Amino acid sequence: MIETDLIVILKMIIIGLVQGFTEPIPVSSSGHVMIASTILGLGEQGFTFAILTNTASLLAILFIYRKDIARLAVHSIKYVKTKDENYKSDFRFVCFVVIGTIPAAVLGVLLNDYIAENVSMTTIAIMLFITGIALWLIRNIKGVKEESDLKLKDAIIVGLGQAVALTPGISRSGATIISSIAVGMKQDTALRFSFMLYIPISLGGVVLGFSDFLNEPNKAELAIPYLSAFLATLFMTYFAMKWFMGIMKNKKLGYFTYYCFIVGALLLVFF
């Protein structure tokens, strides 16, 4: 029994590491969690597990961007109070984040159950190929737009990109970064906008799923495995995000194209 429990904990840690590593990078964390769960013989992970690991990734991203979030919040409040033009750019950026969140939030509520019930390894493989092709197409685009240059249509386009990423195999960070670069954003702006969009959509998922977490019938039995996965996800997301920020800074985004093609091909062959 002890050995079995240890094996389950180890498997949960591995799943947490996979979630944490793939959440920030453009390769689809949900698709990789499904792949890892299948390989490890754990089957499909429940909604409670998804909420826990998503919360861990969210906390890591919030910590990394804590200074940007504080600045945006303070400047937006000051702009609303004073209409001082010095704060207008940050206020507009926050508005665009809210607007960009709407498509994924609406489609997530309407289609989440349908998507979850109609996803296969073949679907994930095809979506990875699509992600890889899109990454290849934008790999050399040198955008010029900074946060102050963003327009309403940019936020809508990137928001639609995030909505497309509801399908496992389409990376959320990949879809938002690709669409951000496609509309002309600089890579550092695209990265920041992508993960500012991630915060409200992820927070919304946590809030909506909290009741399911409270009603989980096996909380006591799963406490240690889930806590292990949570901590693994938390720390791995932090380090993966830092690593990915370096990748973006060095403009090596195209490398992920090869990875998506390789994993997609392996899925078609072995699954």
Side-chain angles (χ1 to χ4, degrees):
M1 181 65 178
I2 295 177
E3 182 179 356
T4 302
D5 290 343
L6 289 175
I7 291 173
V8 170
I9 292 171
L10 180 59
K11 288 182 177 181
M12 286 295 188
I13 289 173
I14 293 172
I15 297 294
L17 292 174
V18 170
Q19 159 68 24
F21 183 69
T22 56
E23 180 61 55
I25 65 178
V27 298
S28 177
S29 60
S30 58
H32 278 73
V33 167
M34 288 180 66
I35 295 167
S37 297
T38 300
I39 292 173
L40 293 172
L42 290 174
E44 185 178 350
Q45 297 305 305
F47 192 60
T48 299
F49 182 83
I51 291 296
L52 275 175
T53 53
N54 182 70
T55 301
S57 288
L58 174 62
L59 290 174
I61 299 300
L62 286 172
F63 181 77
I64 290 172
Y65 281 107
R66 63 193 184 281
K67 292 181 180 178
D68 291 287
I69 294 168
R71 187 197 78 242
L72 290 168
V74 170
H75 286 186
S76 294
I77 293 171
K78 286 184 177 180
Y79 179 76
V80 171
K81 288 182 176 180
T82 67
K83 296 298 185 292
D84 188 328
E85 290 294 315
N86 291 321
Y87 306 124
K88 185 176 182 179
S89 177
D90 283 340
F91 175 75
R92 290 177 72 251
F93 186 79
V94 171
C95 290
F96 290 150
V97 169
V98 173
I99 292 168
T101 301
I102 294 173
V106 172
L107 289 180
V109 171
L110 295 176
L111 301 177
N112 187 62
D113 291 339
Y114 175 81
I115 292 171
E117 294 171 1
N118 292 275
V119 173
S120 65
M121 289 298 175
T122 301
T123 303
I124 294 174
I126 293 171
M127 296 302 110
L128 282 171
F129 281 123
I130 292 173
T131 300
I133 291 169
L135 286 167
W136 181 259
L137 292 175
I138 59 91
R139 71 193 188 283
N140 293 324
I141 295 178
K142 295 179 173 62
V144 296
K145 291 182 180 178
E146 298 184 350
E147 291 181 9
S148 58
D149 302 315
L150 301 186
K151 307 296 183 185
L152 176 61
K153 65 179 180 64
D154 299 329
I156 293 174
I157 291 171
V158 179
L160 291 172
Q162 179 165 250
V164 170
L166 291 170
T167 305
I170 294 288
S171 164
R172 191 218 62 84
S173 65
T176 50
I177 289 171
I178 288 165
S179 52
S180 294
I181 292 175
V183 299
M185 293 187 206
K186 296 171 63 176
Q187 291 206 3
D188 60 338
T189 304
L191 181 68
R192 191 157 49 252
F193 190 56
S194 170
F195 283 95
M196 289 299 155
L197 281 175
Y198 167 77
I199 292 169
I201 203 72
S202 180
L203 185 59
V206 171
V207 171
L208 291 175
F210 190 67
S211 61
D212 294 272
F213 172 73
L214 293 178
N215 294 324
E216 169 64 52
N218 300 318
K219 284 197 295 289
E221 179 183 341
L222 294 172
I224 296 178
Y226 276 15
L227 177 60
S228 301
F230 178 90
L231 294 174
T233 302
L234 178 67
F235 289 109
M236 183 55 78
T237 301
Y238 176 83
F239 290 112
M241 185 65 196
K242 286 292 188 178
W243 174 70
F244 184 55
M245 292 170 81
I247 293 288
M248 289 288 290
K249 184 177 181 179
N250 293 319
K251 297 178 173 57
K252 302 296 184 181
L253 193 59
Y255 287 166
F256 292 102
T257 292
Y258 307 116
Y259 178 85
C260 288
F261 287 165
I262 291 170
V263 174
L266 289 173
L267 288 178
L268 291 179
V269 171
F270 293 104
F271 292 93

